[in-house]
Amino acid sequence: MTTDTDVEAVPSPEGPADIIETDYQIGQDNITPKIGPFGLDIHNPVFLVSGLVVIAFVLLTIIFQDSAGPAFDGMRKFLTSNLDWFFLSAGNIFVLVCIACIVLPIGSVRLGGRDATPDYSYLGWFSMLFAAGMGIGLMFFGVSEPISHYSSSVAEGAGSPDSWAPLAGAAGDPDEARRLGMAATIFHWGLHPWAVYAIVALGLALFSFNKGLPLTIRSLFYPIFGERVWGWPGHVIDILAVFATLFGLATSLGLGAQQANAGLDFVFGVPNTVDVQVILIIAITAVALISVLRGLDGGVKVLSEINMVVAAALLLFVMFAGGIMSVLSGFVSNLVAYGEELIPLSSPVGRDDDNFRQGWTSFYWAWWISWSPFVGMFIARVSRGRTVREFMIAVLLVPTIVSVLWMTAFGGTAISLIEEAGMTQIADAALELKLFEMLSGLPLAAITSFIGVVLVIVFFVTSSDSGSLVIDTITAGGKVNAPVSQRVFWCTFEGLVAIALLLGGGLGALQAAAVSTGFPFAVILLLACYALFKGLYSEPRGKAAAAA
């Protein structure tokens, strides 16, 4: 489509591809103001509307802190209580679409054109997938979620309307409570979240690398809106994507700050207060800014690979310290339990576990959906050269297996410490402290707890800087090399939104932000599934198809 701006967009397809002919020029709606020494290159409606709303949100939330908390909490409860069926149904549809992409002939379509080759090795590719996708979440919930489901399932009264146990619980039966708790945990970190990411990532990669459209969310909807996608229908989609990304990231950054503070308190006695968490966000955002200035290859990729090595080392330590045979046998049994409970846990109707379904699953699905523009675009940018089948297997199945191993090692070890060593303080601790209480039951607790804090902080940094790259691309009209000052703006405001939410309601406000932005974007993603199939079926598939 474009020629003079291609260097600022994405590489042209290599080999046969179904290029979409359009008169739209990447960046044609952009304005290029200059503020002092800083030049900007921003999409006029998307950047201005997004930027002004975010600035207003930060100011109003900080000014009206006392009333913001109850308002956020009420909004979260309303959405998860009334729309839980919608979130669960949408999640199931995304999984089915991904499986269809693996088994249907469209799986042979190669992203970037039939002759494209991968930009990154498997090691670099997987490292960036994990660091951007679930790093902070796995650290925060790796112990706290299995323990929470186990405790609620085994407790007296599990299965009653007041219980938080999944399905009917397993009152008084520790073995069944462990099985059910691990299955419910893996359900939240397995196929469903990665299917959400995969839909967005595959759509962005297809319509950018193969069809020559800008690397921005609106490009997925060209089969539906045609040329109108460059007008206000597309503006609205991109603005919603910016909000979803920003508030989804802020949720994770807020959780990361709470856990880093809890870890510093556990190891060094640093006070566990909101003030300290705000200081942490400011300090870590400053580090993220340095990473942003170094760019994708110099900043995000290097930090991601370092963090994956450290995370793998901590995982191996917990596996061996917690009993390698116990972890490996637990991995198999948990995988089986996940398969057995997958359909009951996925069902949006005929269940009595309202607290679990609405408070856990609906929140998670909204959170994953709100993260999908960010993670999806990031995965798309590093996945050029892969076939659709290879892409789906890697993005959908491999992270699920690793998540099962992670949850088994950390969560399973924590449950064993409670059952066998009587460490009930793990279950009694606050969510952000459970990881460090579990590590205190293993050798070298001071060292591993310190490593845990470092991992949380670095995952914090990689999420912040890679999120800034994604939002910057959306608000620059699809340009991937816009001026660095714009990324600095978004990186700064990610930190400010997280601070505003912490001051304006803490964890409840963070969850409300994720849920409220996830809902409208879930509707958009369902439409994207149709556009994705339409785009894939128009592509040449494999060498035989190209020769024909």
Side-chain angles (χ1 to χ4, degrees):
M1 52 176 287
T2 59
T3 54
D4 56 331
T5 57
D6 276 353
V7 292
E8 295 176 318
V10 294
S12 298
E14 298 176 46
D18 179 46
I19 297 287
I20 290 177
E21 296 296 333
T22 174
D23 294 330
Y24 181 80
Q25 300 287 319
I26 293 176
Q28 72 174 26
D29 296 325
N30 285 17
I31 57 176
T32 55
K34 195 172 179 66
I35 302 176
F38 305 108
L40 300 177
D41 190 350
I42 55 179
H43 189 282
N44 192 4
V46 174
F47 185 95
L48 292 179
V49 173
S50 305
L52 290 174
V53 170
V54 169
I55 291 172
F57 174 85
V58 170
L59 291 176
L60 291 174
T61 304
I62 291 177
I63 292 172
F64 301 105
Q65 291 180 31
D66 293 338
S67 54
F72 286 133
D73 196 45
M75 180 168 57
R76 176 181 60 84
K77 289 180 179 175
F78 174 81
L79 288 171
T80 55
S81 300
N82 293 282
L83 297 172
D84 56 318
W85 62 270
F86 172 77
F87 284 118
L88 266 68
S89 300
N92 295 337
I93 291 172
F94 298 142
V95 172
L96 293 175
V97 169
C98 290
I99 293 173
C101 288
I102 293 174
V103 300
L104 292 175
I106 52 177
S108 63
V109 171
R110 185 173 293 277
L111 301 174
R114 187 174 59 83
D115 299 333
T117 54
D119 291 339
Y120 296 97
S121 67
Y122 278 115
L123 177 61
W125 191 34
F126 289 142
S127 298
M128 286 189 279
L129 295 184
F130 280 102
M134 288 187 171
I136 289 179
L138 285 174
M139 292 299 294
F140 191 92
F141 289 104
V143 172
S144 62
E145 186 171 356
I147 288 296
S148 297
H149 297 333
Y150 165 79
S151 299
S152 61
S153 295
V154 77
E156 185 178 351
S160 67
D162 295 332
S163 171
W164 283 80
L167 302 176
D173 186 344
D175 291 339
E176 177 60 16
R178 174 193 281 256
R179 192 192 74 84
L180 189 58
M182 293 305 301
T185 301
I186 295 166
F187 172 63
H188 291 150
W189 296 86
L191 296 175
H192 284 74
W194 288 95
V196 175
Y197 297 159
I199 294 292
V200 178
L202 180 61
L204 284 168
L206 176 72
F207 286 97
S208 299
F209 298 147
N210 294 56
K211 299 185 182 297
L213 300 182
L215 187 63
T216 187
I217 301 296
R218 71 175 73 195
S219 294
L220 276 73
F221 298 89
Y222 190 91
I224 297 175
F225 294 109
E227 289 296 312
R228 288 177 297 162
V229 81
W230 312 125
W232 272 103
H235 298 342
V236 171
I237 290 170
D238 277 352
I239 290 169
L240 284 174
V242 171
F243 291 156
T245 305
L246 199 63
F247 288 103
L249 271 171
T251 303
S252 300
L253 300 186
L255 294 177
Q258 289 179 332
Q259 190 173 36
N261 191 182
L264 290 172
D265 178 30
F266 190 82
V267 179
F268 300 112
V270 175
N272 192 353
T273 65
V274 173
D275 290 341
V276 173
Q277 292 161 19
V278 169
I279 293 171
L280 275 172
I281 291 176
I282 294 172
I284 296 170
T285 299
V287 178
L289 283 172
I290 297 173
S291 180
V292 163
L293 295 174
R294 289 177 59 85
L296 182 64
D297 290 326
V300 180
K301 180 171 179 288
V302 172
L303 283 176
S304 298
E305 291 183 348
I306 292 173
N307 225 29
M308 287 308 300
V309 172
V310 178
L314 183 61
L315 173 63
L316 288 173
F317 170 80
V318 173
M319 289 175 64
F320 281 97
I324 184 67
M325 294 310 298
S326 173
V327 172
L328 292 178
S329 64
F331 171 80
V332 176
S333 59
N334 291 336
L335 202 57
V336 172
Y338 172 51
E340 292 173 342
E341 302 295 344
L342 179 59
I343 292 178
L345 289 167
S346 303
S347 175
V349 295
R351 295 167 59 177
D352 297 323
D353 55 350
D354 290 354
N355 283 337
F356 172 80
R357 191 177 69 257
Q358 297 169 358
W360 280 98
T361 306
S362 293
F363 160 67
Y364 266 126
W365 274 206
W367 188 20
W368 302 141
I369 289 169
S370 71
W371 260 55
S372 63
F374 152 55
V375 181
M377 184 171 289
F378 191 74
I379 293 174
R381 287 185 65 170
V382 299
S383 300
R384 186 176 177 276
R386 309 288 177 182
T387 67
V388 169
R389 186 169 293 115
E390 181 184 22
F391 173 92
M392 278 299 180
I393 290 173
V395 177
L396 191 65
L397 298 184
V398 176
T400 296
I401 297 297
V402 176
S403 294
V404 175
L405 182 60
W406 184 279
M407 292 299 181
T408 299
F410 284 78
T413 299
I415 294 173
S416 296
L417 287 173
I418 293 175
E419 291 181 338
E420 299 167 9
M423 292 187 63
T424 55
Q425 66 268 31
I426 300 175
D428 297 336
L431 286 178
E432 62 270 21
L433 198 55
K434 290 183 189 294
L435 167 67
F436 303 105
E437 290 288 0
M438 184 276 286
L439 291 175
S440 72
L442 303 178
L444 307 174
I447 296 173
T448 55
S449 296
F450 178 73
I451 291 173
V453 174
V454 171
L455 275 173
V456 170
I457 291 174
V458 179
F459 275 131
F460 192 148
V461 172
T462 55
S463 295
S464 179
D465 58 10
S466 50
S468 304
L469 290 170
V470 168
I471 296 176
D472 181 44
T473 300
I474 297 173
T475 56
K479 289 189 174 182
V480 295
N481 292 320
V484 172
S485 53
Q486 296 169 210
R487 289 177 229 162
V488 172
F489 172 84
W490 288 115
C491 186
T492 302
F493 268 85
E494 284 164 14
L496 288 175
V497 169
I499 290 172
L501 289 170
L502 276 179
L503 295 176
L507 181 61
L510 294 167
Q511 292 176 327
V515 171
S516 57
T517 52
F519 170 65
F521 210 73
V523 178
I524 287 177
L525 287 191
L526 290 172
L527 291 174
C529 292
Y530 165 76
L532 179 61
F533 277 122
K534 199 166 181 180
L536 284 172
Y537 272 103
S538 67
E539 280 292 303
R541 299 191 293 273
K543 293 185 178 181

